[in-house]
Amino acid sequence: MPTSPIVQLLIAVGLLACLVSLWKGGTAERVGAALVLASIAFSLFGAILLPKGAFLFGQMVGDAAVALGLLALTLRYGSPWMGMAMLLYAAQFALHSFYFVTQRPNDLFHATMNNVNFMGVILCVALGTVTAILRRMKQRRAAAART
């Protein structure tokens, strides 16, 4: 379990954003939030259950899988927030792969970029959910005005 208060706060906000998205989002937002939740779960439990080398490799594979999943969703639904989240996960993959290949220990730059990147993903999920809620409210108002 992460001991940094910043990381714990990011995880809590990320979980909250994903749960709200699962509850109130549209289909695209729900699937995207599920992908991000799976990534969070792997990060939390993979660090505990897997050896360090396997976990680092698994992080890269997970980042790539989430980025590809978000790419498929972006192509299917065309939401700008998914495209941005996909690009952020691709950047996350690049960050993790650079540190994995060069066998560098995680440093302040890695932690900062990882946290900023994940905060961007959380904001994308939240923005997508708010957009879906507003779109649904607008459709309901338009339907009520027609009757």
Side-chain angles (χ1 to χ4, degrees), residues 4-74:
S4 166
I6 293 172
V7 175
Q8 290 176 347
L9 179 65
L10 279 173
I11 290 170
V13 171
L15 290 173
L16 179 65
C18 288
L19 292 175
V20 169
S21 185
L22 287 172
W23 178 39
K24 290 288 189 177
T27 304
E29 290 77 23
R30 289 178 178 158
V31 175
L35 288 169
V36 174
L37 274 175
S39 176
I40 293 170
F42 178 79
S43 293
L44 290 175
F45 298 117
I48 297 168
L49 300 174
L50 297 173
K52 184 173 172 113
F55 172 68
L56 294 175
F57 183 73
Q59 260 187 325
M60 288 189 316
V61 171
D63 291 340
V66 173
L68 287 173
L70 289 171
L71 172 62
L73 284 173
T74 302

Side-chain angles (χ1 to χ4, degrees), residues 52-53 56 60 95-107:
K52 184 173 172 113
L56 294 175
M60 288 189 316
L95 177 70
H96 288 141
S97 62
F98 173 76
Y99 275 80
F100 181 76
V101 170
T102 60
Q103 297 180 353
R104 291 178 64 173
N106 291 351
D107 54 9

Side-chain angles (χ1 to χ4, degrees), residues 64-126:
V66 173
L68 287 173
L70 289 171
L71 172 62
L73 284 173
T74 302
L75 292 174
R76 169 67 175 93
Y77 294 100
S79 294
W81 78 266
M82 279 186 254
M84 189 61 206
M86 175 200 61
L87 291 173
L88 288 169
Y89 263 100
Q92 195 83 334
F93 172 79
L95 177 70
H96 288 141
S97 62
F98 173 76
Y99 275 80
F100 181 76
V101 170
T102 60
Q103 297 180 353
R104 291 178 64 173
N106 291 351
D107 54 9
L108 182 61
F109 177 77
H110 181 274
T112 303
M113 294 315 310
N114 195 32
N115 292 342
V116 167
N117 200 343
F118 185 63
M119 189 65 206
V121 170
I122 293 168
L123 289 173
C124 287
V125 170

Side-chain angles (χ1 to χ4, degrees), residues 20-21 23-26 29 126-141:
V20 169
S21 185
W23 178 39
K24 290 288 189 177
E29 290 77 23
L127 180 65
T129 304
V130 168
T131 303
I133 292 169
L134 293 175
R135 183 176 53 244
R136 196 167 35 247
M137 287 172 53
K138 184 178 176 183
Q139 289 171 347
R140 286 182 186 154
R141 272 189 249 127

